Amino acid sequence: MMAPTTQGEDRRKGAALFANSPDFDDPVPLLLLPGTLCDARIFAPFASVFADSPTMDIPISRAESTTALARHILARAPSRFALVGFSLGGIVALEIAAIAPERVMGLALIATTARADPVKNAAIRRHGVADARARGLAAHFIDNIWPESTAPANRDDKDLKALAIEMAEATGVATYAQQVEIAISRADSRLRLRNLKMPTLVVCGAVDSICPPSRHTEIAEAIPGAELAIILGAGHYVLLEAPDAVARHLSDWLKILSINTDTLPPRTARQTKDFQ
């Protein structure tokens, strides 16, 4: 288990959608899947880490179930790719890997869970959407989501909070409603984890109260050869709270991914489609 303790500054840069592009031979494309009420800016601190890889920012929308979204993405993705999923994006990544493991060259699962959503959560989640419609996403996010999103030490970080609110508002209530249904519909992936053979990195914040370290330990222990990194001093928004620490682990994972894909046969050429 790797557990670095350093934290870095929040670095925010836009990331372009990689759509209508041909398949790639080397290196493997990275599909970046953000979490609920997040967008590509959640991955912006890792632009230099991903600089040598084609990247695709995948919206968590256009479907109302985890399986439907996974199939939507698979229909538009290159023939082979690696997945970097944060929170709900990690849940969708696990579904993609379960449906088409032969196409997934690597998995990076960050601040996520392999468990099904508890039945009692459905009403709570849908009430949250109604609250967002009634009061606005910013007010809903500040009152109901932000308090659990970071480590206590980072809760008063004005820049981090402002970015989180900006992403939530940019997502919009309609997409938030879709994301809620995706979260509610997710399968229990725990029994499927043992079948995943691709290089896998599992990352979480040590004080993540939404997807606690125990959820990540069970993922890492179930996937053969998976690496687990628990980042001290970080909460659920570990990508923004401790980007330097996460970057080191992502860099190591990409090196392993490169070694593994060097031995694969050439990919069948295919055209990717617009993810919007």
Side-chain angles (χ1 to χ4, degrees), residues 121-162:
N121 277 10
I124 297 171
R125 290 184 186 277
R126 288 168 179 149
H127 176 75
V129 174
D131 181 58
R133 285 198 176 103
R135 298 196 298 133
L137 264 170
H140 169 71
F141 181 87
I142 291 168
D143 292 345
N144 297 283
I145 299 175
W146 176 251
E148 303 299 322
S149 294
T150 68
N154 298 322
R155 208 150 290 157
D156 294 327
D157 184 320
K158 293 181 180 179
D159 290 338
L160 178 57
K161 185 176 182 179

Side-chain angles (χ1 to χ4, degrees), residues 56-274:
M56 296 177 167
D57 298 314
I58 311 300
I60 304 299
S61 61
R62 301 285 180 171
E64 293 192 354
S65 75
T66 310
T67 300
L69 179 56
R71 294 192 180 282
H72 176 81
I73 292 169
L74 282 166
R76 290 157 176 78
S79 58
R80 292 205 300 259
F81 50 84
L83 295 163
V84 182
F86 167 70
S87 194
L88 183 57
I91 292 167
V92 176
L94 282 172
E95 186 67 21
I96 293 170
I99 295 172
E102 73 285 354
R103 293 177 62 184
V104 181
M105 299 296 100
L107 272 176
L109 303 169
I110 303 164
T112 193
T113 180
R115 298 190 175 200
D117 203 35
V119 173
K120 65 180 181 181
N121 277 10
I124 297 171
R125 290 184 186 277
R126 288 168 179 149
H127 176 75
V129 174
D131 181 58
R133 285 198 176 103
R135 298 196 298 133
L137 264 170
H140 169 71
F141 181 87
I142 291 168
D143 292 345
N144 297 283
I145 299 175
W146 176 251
E148 303 299 322
S149 294
T150 68
N154 298 322
R155 208 150 290 157
D156 294 327
D157 184 320
K158 293 181 180 179
D159 290 338
L160 178 57
K161 185 176 182 179
L163 173 60
I165 294 170
E166 287 172 12
M167 289 193 294
E169 290 186 306
T171 298
V173 175
T175 295
Y176 180 35
Q178 291 177 334
Q179 292 173 343
V180 160
E181 296 305 318
I182 291 166
I184 290 169
S185 70
R186 69 183 188 248
D188 190 329
S189 291
R190 285 176 290 176
L191 293 180
R192 306 188 296 192
L193 296 176
R194 69 188 70 173
N195 300 320
L196 303 180
K197 310 301 182 185
M198 65 287 292
T200 300
L201 170 66
V202 183
V203 179
C204 71
V207 290
D208 187 337
S209 60
I210 296 175
C211 297
S214 60
R215 299 290 189 263
H216 298 80
T217 299
E218 69 182 7
I219 294 173
E221 289 180 347
I223 299 176
E227 291 286 342
L228 173 64
I230 300 177
I231 310 299
L232 300 184
H236 190 64
Y237 274 31
V238 61
L239 292 176
L240 300 179
E241 294 178 79
D244 292 343
V246 176
R248 287 195 294 274
H249 294 293
L250 285 171
S251 294
D252 290 343
W253 171 72
L254 286 171
K255 290 174 186 175
I256 295 170
L257 189 60
S258 176
I259 293 170
N260 281 26
T261 55
D262 281 347
T263 62
L264 292 171
R267 276 170 273 188
T268 302
R270 70 191 298 272
Q271 194 79 8
T272 62
K273 300 178 182 178
D274 193 338

